[in-house]
Amino acid sequence: REHPRHEVEQRPGIAPPEPVSSTAPAAPMAAALLPVAAPVFDTPPDAPIASPIQARGLTMRIVAIPAPLASDPSAAVIVGIELPSAQAGRAGRVDFTVAAIDEEGKTRARLRFNTNFTPPRPGAPAWTHTGSRIDVAPGRYQIRVAASGADKTQGSVFTELTVPKFDTELAVGGLALGAPAPGAAGDSDRLRDVLPLVPFASRDLAHDATVEAQLPIRVSSKAASNPLAIISTLARPDGTTGQLGRATASAAQYGRPT
């Protein structure tokens, strides 16, 4: 059986498409997929936040921890950010943008802060860290962190978490290991209002590292007159446990996140 033949001809007045030159500017959608770390691009610092794809360049790893707040919107996400010490030192001042995206794809909160990093000294840890907090209502979020260094390097990284409703008389956030941040963070006071230390994003710690466990707690005014017992326990890889400490305090001391 013979198939019908089709012929295509150019209609008068319609010019064929011009060949694309390798030097022509990239379209906006294609530009979002280019390596943003290259110093030849002058990309806005917030550009990686808008892209649904994480941007490679300035290496980061992050952790997001829910915590109760004493005021609206009643919850916060503590964001700990780690960068390779050598790369952070070369970048110098790094501007960070943190955004909380809900399940509908809407940006519900946004935060900007900066940290000044210095070149690491011999023997310094391979990773350095900083962080801040972003206040959100309870719900499911994708947390996006974008960074832009003074040396024009950029990058972004995403994570997801669920922020619970801290509406009980005893509200407890996420447990984290942390240490003071070596860099000078512009918004560090926002973090200290909820947690005293910047949380580590990695579970791989040096054997001689000094770390502290921290747990954000808030007690409602109705339960403020009750005593509060806090017991810390260490679970070992073999399944055995050991008590690290026990403290008893007045619940009134935890009327605000502590």
Side-chain angles (χ1 to χ4, degrees):
R1 181 181 178 181
E2 294 184 0
H3 295 279
R5 298 178 62 185
H6 299 276
E7 294 183 359
V8 179
E9 62 179 7
Q10 180 182 336
R11 292 175 58 188
I14 301 180
E18 295 291 337
V20 178
S21 170
S22 61
T23 60
M29 182 174 294
L33 302 179
L34 293 175
V36 297
V40 295
F41 295 100
D42 190 14
T43 310
D46 285 355
I49 284 286
S51 173
I53 302 175
Q54 300 179 80
R56 300 194 308 176
L58 186 58
T59 304
M60 291 181 289
R61 55 192 186 193
I62 65 173
V63 62
I65 301 169
L69 284 181
S71 57
D72 290 337
S74 77
V77 176
I78 306 301
V79 181
I81 307 170
E82 294 182 356
L83 304 88
S85 298
Q87 194 174 16
R90 290 192 299 269
R93 175 191 167 109
V94 178
D95 294 320
F96 295 94
T97 301
V98 183
I101 315 295
D102 67 10
E103 293 182 303
E104 298 178 354
K106 297 180 180 179
T107 300
R108 294 300 182 182
R110 185 185 291 261
L111 167 73
R112 293 183 177 91
F113 71 100
N114 61 76
T115 302
N116 295 314
F117 295 99
T118 57
R121 297 179 179 178
W127 291 77
T128 186
H129 61 291
T130 185
S132 191
R133 86 167 203 254
I134 186 168
D135 299 348
V136 296
R140 179 76 180 174
Y141 295 96
Q142 182 183 73
I143 303 298
R144 300 182 181 182
V145 177
S148 177
D151 62 349
K152 302 300 182 181
T153 55
Q154 291 185 330
S156 65
V157 62
F158 306 160
T159 190
E160 296 183 355
L161 85 163
T162 297
V163 178
K165 291 183 178 180
F166 295 109
D167 55 359
T168 58
E169 293 185 353
L170 176 61
V172 179
L175 177 66
L177 298 178
D187 266 4
S188 59
D189 288 342
R190 287 179 52 81
L191 181 61
R192 295 191 187 103
D193 286 343
V194 181
L195 285 179
L197 304 173
V198 177
F200 287 117
S202 173
R203 297 180 181 179
D204 298 327
L205 304 174
H207 70 280
D208 57 349
T210 300
V211 299
E212 295 184 32
Q214 51 188 357
L215 183 69
I217 298 174
R218 183 181 63 81
V219 178
S220 69
S221 57
K222 295 181 180 179
S225 60
N226 298 327
L228 182 66
I230 302 175
I231 303 173
S232 57
T233 303
L234 176 67
R236 304 181 181 89
D238 60 2
T240 61
T241 60
Q243 183 172 311
L244 295 178
R246 179 186 178 96
T248 302
S250 169
Q253 298 179 23
Y254 297 87
R256 57 177 298 176
T258 307

